[in-house]
Amino acid sequence: MPVITLYRDRFNQYLGKELTTEEIAKWLPWLGTDIEDVGPDYVKVEYNPNRLDFSSHAGLARALKGLLGIEVGMPKYEARPSGIVLNIDPSVEKVRPYALAGVVRGLKLDDELVRELMDMQEDLHWGVCRDRRKAAIGLHNLDVLEPPFTYTTVGPETRFVPLDETREMSMVEILQEHKKGRAYAHLLSHTDRYPVMVDAKGRIFTFPPIINSELTRVTAETRNLFIDITGPSMDAVRNGLNILASALADMGGKLETVEVRYPDKTLISPDLTPQEMTLRTEYARELLGLELTDEDVVECLRKSRLDAWVKSEGVIGVRIPAYRIDILHEVDLVEEVALGYGFYRITPTRPVSTTSGRQHPTIKTMNCVRIIMVGLGFTEAVNFILTNEDVHYRMMRLPAGDAIRLANPASALYSITRTLLLPGLMQNLAVNRHESYPQRLFEVSDVVVRRDDAETRTERRVHVAAVSAHARANYTEIRSYLDALLRSLGLAEWSVSEATHPSFLEGRTAKIRINGEEVAVVGEIHPEVSNNFGLETPVAAFELDLEAVMKYISKD
Amino acid sequence: MELRTQDWKVLRAVRELGGRCLLRDVVDSSGLAHAAVARSVLALEEAGLLKVEERRRVDARLTEEGASYAADGLPERRLLDAVLRLGGEADLEAAAEEAGLSGDLLSIAVGWARRKGWAAVSEGRIRASTTRPPPRDEDEQLLRMLAGGGTVEVGTLEPSLREAAKRLERRGLLELEERTLRVLEITQAGLEALEAGPPKAEEITQLTPELIVSGAWRGVKLRKFDVKAPVPVVYPGRLHPVQQIINWIREIFLEMGFTEIRGPIVELAFWNFDALFQPQDHPAREMQDTFYLLEPNRGVLPREELVDAVAKTHENGWKTGSRGWGYRWSREEASKLVLRTHTTAVTIRYLSEHKEPPVWVFSVDRVYRNEKVDYKHLAEFHQIEGIIMDKGVTLRDLMGILTEFYRKMGLERVQFWPSYFPYTEPSMQSTVYVPELKAWVELCGMGLFRPEVLAPMGVKYPVLAWGGGLERLVMIKLGVDDIRELYRNRLSWIRRAPTCL
């Protein structure tokens, strides 16, 4: 989640009130942010990805002003025409089709503010632009450029001086050698024509979504800004621009519009026209459980920096500023009411339950197994369902089976989901090989197996497995335990037959069947398996498909 | 002192061995175990019936090399014999060959033959200093004495042999072992105790079924145990500590009237994300956060009507009154199989089939995130989730339910903050004061399900939902700092964790 460091003095300047860092840290959580750290003159604030308008001092101060009643209602932004035209060349359509722009004049920048603008741009690139996939933003020193501008495409050998470089580089060189080029080249892998913006003199000032030119670098001396934003998603392009333009206006800049001329239409950009919605007072009362009048709702919404008025009895008209890209539905306005009301004022009520609780039958049976196994002196282990083929198959002397394989594991330790519990218990014995013996462990838990006729192509099944490890562990002992478990579960009949199994010793292994269905394997673990796990003690073990047995156990 | 039969037998053995003997000899003559004799000796000494003296002694024994010389003769002796066989004088090489010596062994042989005055060497020739083999010297006598693996106490040897022992040890042919011996001597009181005869009743340590059945227990003496002595440690079988906490949370839910639900671990992206109004380009759906399946990798979407409603809600809001996300929804993306990232997938499945209020359900079950595992993060962990769908339930009710839920867990102080989750609105985060930590800790997130989630499922009443990670709670409860410890299943940890929480 994005984090912004708020400097107290700068924040208070925007807020128009002197708050201490403690007071800032006390109030901001009521806007839905988390305080990460409070320093002598700063507060580190984590905000949620739906509120990218919180990515600047100005944006957070704007919201807090409302909550504290310093300034309520929707902030108004005026934008006069700048007279600047941005032409959209048809060639961009297949490369990176959408672009919008804006102008901000008269900004008083300093080094701090330049850094904040860069941070904000990064947060927007992450949040709105999805790491530049949906859109990318550029900020430029307008005064070095000569309008009109054109958004067009160029070939791979076209050259300009990218930001932080002293020499001209070709587009291909930038993609292969420049740090940003390498990081984002994949976004242009579909094309050999590259998007750029050029000014009237034909100078390239940005190569989106990769890098700006050194020519238009923004410094503390920059006074007038040109904003470009381009991408394959018009929504992201518009949202990013609206948030950025509103924040720059709050920082004291004067917004001006750019005429963006597409082959088939002309857009005036930025377009900060507010969205209008209605909210039924009853809806807010129902969801929040607060006794609110129409007037209360209006007051709360205005504290959340929205315009609100009683449209007719029980219906509130709401105007939402363009930077609030998170409001999709009437329910979002209900939350704005709660925020304006103040979560700290809302008291809990207790709904009356008319239901009685019931355990899930499978989990009930699993708990029965736990009681039985603990009664037999076994200690429960809980292992991950995630495992790998080495432990699950090779170390158990099993041929590779059809466990579910993961497409993208972050760690080689987790490449499949288990189909058996025993390998996990063997790992547990390995971990405990320096502890005193006997060691008797069990697990009752899920495995995942394939089932082609299931909608998820898989099924989770509950198994029970147990191991007994000590100098005299053998088949007889573990069979006694398995018999005790089956008997205690209420089963009356099962058959035992000699079996072979790669993980177990020949002549000391049996399969258990109920009504002809194979439900368990029991025996002495093969010494090679023990060796694979670094064990020196005999191990006897069983694994039971509890899911298969459940239908024979009395139902609750 | 109350004399035990065994103590009396030891005392008797000492007297029979002349009143003064080694503890070892008592073991040999009495047939009692060494540990048993040692225990009796301690008791007898304490009672003043025996005097115990400790004596140190040094024993000598042959090394492997020494043993081979004991059999074949010392190298210097073999060299001298060879020279004598060759007429008392010979080329060194010829003598070595005759003696079967070479290399280091030859140098050793020459060195010692000269030192012992048996031969002289000059200009490559060796000359014996006598015409007849000299008698066995002390080194050889000692070797002979020890041949066959025996030992001898160095202190009992004649001075010249003691010197030989030192010499042979330096040559690595002998090893010396220092031991402590206990010499027992019976005292006057000991003799009197012996005269008094053996203890009358046969003393036993273990009551047996035979003794009880036959009534013979009346005639025996049961040895008194030192009831304060430490006893061996035994460990009970037990539940895994995490499972105990899971059951504890389940009990709280059940007491509050909630029904337990359970659903697939491998889940369709549709239920894990789409049905919860998470747009298909949402960062949480990316490969670095979610485990996708390689094989099988596609599942079957539910009934068309439901899929269509979800698709339209994403694209344009459908008839939910929402703007929607404004993108083209892909069936392909929704039919991908993932390891569920939250149990809310189970909840929404359940709600799609249970639309009549009241629905009070919960689960505590496994969920997955494709994360690098470290002391704070696991790729597989547990989520606690509670859901209420009922007529007229509100955000304030959600606060009330959570307050009660926490109170039942022993957490009395709760605060609620606004927050954000993609599928709830309004959303809240709760922090609780944990007395053990003396700190406020974030536990459950919560909210009301969005209309974009409920309408496609056909749910007409508000749904309160809350959830949080189980492991955090377990770590606080059990005082564990490294989350990985919870599933290592180290017996030393499981056995130490409190059973009664």
Side-chain angles (χ1 to χ4, degrees):
Chain A
M1 291 224 268
V3 173
I4 176 170
T5 304
L6 287 183
Y7 292 95
R8 181 194 54 211
D9 296 347
R10 183 184 286 276
F11 184 70
N12 283 340
Q13 234 174 322
Y14 289 118
L15 192 65
K17 189 174 166 120
E18 290 301 314
L19 294 185
T20 63
T21 49
E22 287 74 24
E23 286 169 321
I24 296 171
K26 184 188 124 195
W27 279 103
L28 284 183
W30 300 118
L31 292 173
T33 65
D34 268 348
I35 304 302
E36 286 238 305
D37 187 20
V38 181
D41 63 341
Y42 66 87
V43 180
K44 260 192 173 168
V45 184
E46 189 181 54
Y47 59 95
N48 286 310
N50 64 324
R51 289 304 298 267
L52 284 155
D53 55 307
F54 286 170
S55 58
S56 64
H57 282 67
L60 271 167
R62 186 164 63 203
L64 188 55
K65 272 183 184 174
L67 189 62
L68 296 177
I70 298 170
E71 191 179 293
V72 299
M74 188 180 77
K76 310 282 187 296
Y77 301 103
E78 295 206 343
R80 293 187 319 171
S82 64
I84 294 175
V85 171
L86 172 64
N87 290 302
I88 310 291
D89 185 86
S91 69
V92 300
E93 175 151 9
K94 289 205 180 81
V95 176
R96 198 170 170 82
Y98 302 108
L100 288 175
V103 166
V104 184
R105 289 194 190 273
L107 266 183
K108 290 186 191 64
L109 289 181
D110 53 31
D111 290 336
E112 282 285 304
L113 201 50
V114 170
R115 187 165 356 113
E116 184 179 350
L117 285 179
M118 297 304 133
D119 288 349
M120 190 179 173
Q121 201 178 332
E122 275 316 299
D123 286 351
L124 291 175
H125 272 153
W126 175 82
V128 177
C129 308
R130 296 275 189 266
D131 204 16
R132 309 194 185 190
R133 249 176 297 154
K134 298 173 89 177
I137 303 164
L139 291 175
H140 308 276
N141 180 0
L142 175 61
D143 297 333
V144 300
L145 294 173
E146 192 162 316
F149 306 140
T150 306
Y151 179 40
T152 184
T153 57
V154 295
E157 292 310 320
T158 310
R159 307 175 78 79
F160 75 103
V161 183
L163 201 58
D164 296 332
E165 289 289 339
T166 51
R167 60 179 180 118
E168 280 197 343
M169 294 173 80
S170 74
M171 311 306 264
V172 168
E173 280 169 0
I174 291 172
L175 292 180
Q176 289 171 357
E177 293 167 28
H178 196 281
K179 195 174 78 180
K180 294 283 178 195
R182 285 203 304 272
Y184 294 102
H186 62 279
L187 298 177
L188 293 173
S189 58
H190 61 292
T191 175
D192 51 9
R193 297 286 297 172
Y194 299 110
V196 293
M197 280 191 195
V198 296
D199 75 347
K201 290 183 174 166
R203 292 176 298 183
I204 292 175
F205 61 88
T206 181
F207 170 21
I210 311 294
I211 188 90
N212 287 341
S213 71
E214 181 64 25
L215 173 71
T216 56
R217 173 189 281 280
V218 174
T219 68
E221 280 71 47
T222 306
R223 288 294 166 264
N224 301 312
L225 287 180
F226 180 75
I227 309 168
D228 85 272
I229 179 159
T230 61
S233 159
M234 191 53 165
D235 274 348
V237 166
R238 190 188 309 112
N239 289 340
L241 179 62
N242 289 352
I243 291 173
L244 188 58
S246 309
L248 287 167
D250 281 335
M251 291 175 191
K254 287 204 167 41
L255 289 183
E256 293 183 0
T257 57
V258 173
E259 244 186 85
V260 184
R261 289 189 190 154
Y262 283 85
D264 56 339
K265 63 185 174 218
T266 296
L267 302 175
I268 303 300
S269 165
D271 176 4
L272 297 178
T273 312
Q275 185 192 170
E276 278 199 20
M277 285 171 75
T278 56
L279 168 64
R280 291 161 296 141
T281 299
E282 189 52 33
Y283 186 51
R285 290 161 55 117
E286 268 174 17
L287 290 189
L288 299 178
L290 293 169
E291 295 298 318
L292 299 168
T293 63
D294 290 352
E295 287 69 27
D296 293 336
V297 172
V298 166
E299 191 196 325
C300 291
L301 289 172
R302 287 175 57 76
K303 283 180 129 183
S304 289
R305 303 309 312 263
L306 309 174
D307 271 354
W309 63 96
V310 181
K311 220 170 163 177
S312 61
E313 199 187 323
V315 180
I316 311 299
V318 187
R319 207 171 283 134
I320 301 143
Y323 61 81
R324 288 301 304 272
I325 60 172
D326 57 309
I327 295 188
L328 302 178
H329 187 279
E330 190 181 4
V331 76
D332 295 302
L333 296 176
V334 174
E335 183 170 270
E336 295 303 313
V337 172
L339 285 165
Y341 183 87
F343 273 79
Y344 51 92
R345 289 171 58 199
I346 306 178
T347 54
T349 50
R350 172 70 170 90
V352 180
S353 148
T354 55
T355 56
S356 60
R358 211 169 68 88
Q359 300 190 58
H360 192 280
T362 301
I363 295 171
K364 201 171 165 181
T365 306
M366 289 165 81
N367 274 335
C368 274
V369 169
R370 291 190 175 101
I371 290 171
I372 298 164
M373 292 309 293
V374 168
L376 291 171
F378 283 72
T379 294
E380 186 181 26
V382 177
N383 285 296
F384 295 129
I385 291 178
L386 293 174
T387 181
N388 59 69
E389 282 152 309
D390 195 47
V391 171
H392 205 66
Y393 295 123
R394 187 192 65 78
M395 291 173 80
M396 295 300 290
R397 295 181 83 238
L398 292 171
D402 61 354
I404 305 305
R405 286 170 64 206
L406 300 176
N408 58 326
S411 156
L413 289 178
Y414 304 137
S415 53
I416 59 170
T417 56
R418 67 181 173 191
T419 60
L420 295 168
L421 302 181
L422 266 184
L425 291 177
M426 292 302 293
Q427 276 183 301
N428 301 150
L429 289 177
V431 164
N432 287 302
R433 66 175 163 256
H434 300 304
E435 297 293 328
S436 62
Y437 287 91
Q439 292 179 9
R440 295 193 177 92
L441 301 176
F442 80 101
E443 181 166 12
V444 51
S445 186
D446 296 291
V447 302
V448 180
V449 297
R450 294 196 189 212
R451 233 190 82 184
D452 290 341
D453 61 338
E455 53 176 326
T456 62
R457 307 292 186 209
T458 57
E459 186 191 9
R460 78 188 281 196
R461 289 181 79 82
V462 178
H463 279 202
V464 187
V467 289
S468 176
H470 56 98
R472 306 171 65 86
N474 63 19
Y475 173 83
T476 310
E477 179 204 22
I478 198 72
R479 246 294 298 291
S480 298
Y481 286 131
L482 177 57
D483 281 3
L485 172 63
L486 294 173
R487 221 165 33 237
S488 303
L489 282 171
L491 293 161
E493 258 185 275
W494 56 91
S495 71
V496 181
S497 57
E498 215 176 280
T500 56
H501 187 294
S503 305
F504 291 86
L505 261 180
E506 179 117 32
R508 301 288 181 90
T509 310
K511 295 249 160 98
I512 307 291
R513 287 188 177 76
I514 298 182
N515 281 350
E517 185 185 359
E518 188 182 308
V519 296
V521 58
V522 53
E524 294 178 21
I525 291 291
H526 198 289
E528 260 178 49
V529 173
S530 295
N531 275 340
N532 290 342
F533 287 94
L535 295 172
E536 291 166 353
T537 320
V539 180
F542 71 76
E543 175 136 8
L544 168 71
D545 183 347
L546 186 64
E547 201 89 27
V549 168
M550 277 191 206
K551 54 182 171 287
Y552 304 113
I553 301 174
S554 57
K555 294 278 187 311
D556 67 332
Chain B
M1 177 201 173
E2 216 173 323
L3 212 55
R4 299 177 305 154
T5 306
Q6 184 177 295
D7 301 335
W8 190 83
K9 281 183 182 162
V10 168
L11 212 50
R12 189 181 56 187
V14 175
R15 192 184 57 186
E16 280 166 5
L17 288 162
R20 181 179 162 88
C21 64
L22 292 176
L23 189 144
R24 255 206 332 214
D25 301 334
V26 174
V27 173
D28 292 344
S29 74
S30 70
L32 294 167
H34 187 280
V37 174
R39 209 159 45 232
S40 280
V41 165
L42 271 181
L44 291 166
E45 183 188 18
E46 208 168 286
L49 306 183
L50 274 183
K51 252 171 59 189
V52 181
E53 245 175 67
E54 292 205 334
R55 226 186 73 204
R56 280 146 51 107
R57 65 179 267 183
V58 179
D59 282 347
R61 147 194 345 264
L62 292 183
T63 63
E64 213 172 299
E65 191 183 357
S68 81
Y69 293 163
D72 304 341
L74 284 167
E76 59 268 31
R77 169 67 70 179
R78 284 159 58 194
L79 184 63
L80 178 66
D81 288 348
V83 174
L84 289 174
R85 275 198 302 278
L86 293 171
E89 185 179 341
D91 274 346
L92 187 54
E93 262 174 52
E97 200 185 326
E98 172 70 22
L101 295 167
S102 64
D104 285 348
L105 216 49
L106 179 61
S107 329
I108 291 170
V110 171
W112 281 102
R114 288 164 78 169
R115 209 177 299 177
K116 290 183 175 175
W118 290 352
V121 177
S122 67
E123 289 162 3
R125 289 185 67 78
I126 181 164
R127 199 172 13 257
S129 48
T130 86
T131 51
R132 294 162 53 90
R136 264 187 222 112
D137 69 358
E138 287 81 0
D139 293 355
E140 290 169 309
Q141 289 170 29
L142 194 54
L143 278 183
R144 205 178 152 84
M145 200 182 285
L146 294 172
T151 61
V152 64
E153 185 183 347
V154 177
T156 62
L157 294 172
E158 286 171 30
S160 62
L161 284 176
R162 257 184 264 167
E163 285 305 308
K166 279 187 204 158
R167 216 165 27 242
L168 291 183
E169 195 208 1
R170 278 197 301 273
R171 286 181 74 172
L173 308 184
L174 208 72
E175 53 197 9
L176 300 178
E177 190 187 355
E178 199 174 309
R179 303 193 343 181
T180 303
L181 294 177
R182 272 177 282 177
V183 182
L184 315 178
E185 188 175 352
I186 195 160
T187 63
Q188 190 54 40
L191 287 170
E192 284 161 17
L194 260 184
E195 289 311 313
K200 287 194 184 58
E202 173 71 8
E203 197 190 59
I204 55 153
T205 52
Q206 179 68 49
L207 204 53
T208 62
E210 291 74 24
L211 289 172
I212 294 172
V213 172
S214 66
W217 62 271
R218 288 193 181 84
V220 301
K221 193 159 177 211
L222 201 57
R223 180 156 78 83
K224 259 180 93 170
F225 276 8
D226 175 2
V227 294
K228 291 180 189 161
V231 296
V233 183
V234 291
Y235 297 100
R238 60 164 293 169
L239 294 188
H240 192 278
V242 173
Q243 186 58 45
Q244 283 190 285
I245 293 185
I246 290 175
N247 280 346
W248 175 55
I249 303 284
R250 291 175 64 251
E251 277 162 27
I252 292 175
F253 274 116
L254 292 165
E255 282 168 12
M256 288 173 73
F258 289 83
T259 290
E260 187 168 33
I261 59 173
R262 188 177 142 88
I265 285 174
V266 170
E267 187 54 284
L268 286 153
F270 178 85
W271 290 111
N272 196 73
F273 296 122
D274 297 280
L276 294 164
F277 198 51
Q278 294 226 41
Q280 294 185 327
D281 69 347
H282 194 279
R285 298 180 73 147
E286 283 176 15
M287 302 282 271
Q288 61 261 39
D289 289 308
T290 300
F291 282 115
Y292 285 86
L293 266 58
L294 188 64
E295 175 54 36
N297 60 8
R298 294 288 187 283
V300 185
L301 290 173
R303 61 200 153 83
E304 198 47 44
E305 187 194 354
L306 186 59
V307 174
D308 192 53
V310 167
K312 289 196 170 117
T313 303
H314 277 242
E315 289 183 350
N316 55 32
W318 190 48
K319 50 189 189 191
T320 65
S322 174
R323 288 197 338 232
W325 293 118
Y327 73 100
R328 204 161 156 63
W329 189 81
S330 150
R331 298 176 69 93
E332 166 71 8
E333 193 61 38
S335 62
K336 285 183 178 169
L337 291 174
V338 302
L339 295 186
R340 66 178 181 203
T341 61
H342 47 197
T343 48
T344 319
V346 181
T347 299
I348 194 66
R349 265 179 186 275
Y350 188 86
L351 287 175
S352 76
E353 285 160 13
H354 299 81
K355 300 168 193 177
E356 283 311 306
V359 170
W360 290 50
V361 292
F362 80 96
S363 62
V364 184
D365 212 341
R366 299 181 189 234
V367 295
Y368 298 83
R369 299 279 159 86
N370 194 4
E371 284 201 81
K372 274 264 181 257
V373 172
D374 60 29
Y375 76 103
K376 274 166 91 170
H377 303 95
L378 293 176
E380 177 172 349
F381 50 99
H382 289 81
Q383 188 187 333
I384 302 169
E385 172 147 327
I387 296 289
I388 294 177
M389 186 258 275
D390 214 341
K391 288 177 185 163
V393 288
T394 69
L395 185 76
R396 294 178 67 192
D397 288 339
L398 182 54
M399 290 176 166
I401 280 283
L402 259 291
T403 305
E404 182 177 343
F405 182 66
Y406 286 137
R407 187 171 297 145
K408 280 174 166 283
M409 285 161 58
L411 302 166
E412 299 284 343
R413 295 166 69 191
V414 192
Q415 273 191 314
F416 298 95
W417 311 88
S419 187
Y420 169 77
F421 302 102
Y423 43 90
T424 56
E425 189 81 6
S427 303
M428 291 188 294
Q429 182 62 247
S430 57
T431 50
V432 292
Y433 185 78
V434 180
E436 288 100 316
L437 301 179
K438 294 195 171 64
W440 289 87
V441 173
E442 256 183 45
L443 277 187
C444 290
M446 70 201 78
L448 277 67
F449 272 2
R450 294 189 66 94
E452 294 96 325
V453 174
L454 296 179
M457 301 298 132
V459 175
K460 297 191 175 64
Y461 303 95
V463 172
L464 313 180
W466 69 98
L470 171 83
E471 278 73 9
R472 180 164 218 181
L473 196 67
V474 176
M475 288 166 80
I476 293 171
K477 272 272 161 199
L478 299 180
V480 172
D481 298 325
D482 183 340
I483 194 169
R484 292 168 297 195
E485 187 62 32
L486 301 182
Y487 301 109
R488 272 192 191 125
N489 297 299
R490 286 195 306 131
L491 281 170
S492 55
W493 177 71
I494 294 178
R495 286 167 172 169
R496 209 176 52 232
T499 310
C500 306
L501 293 159

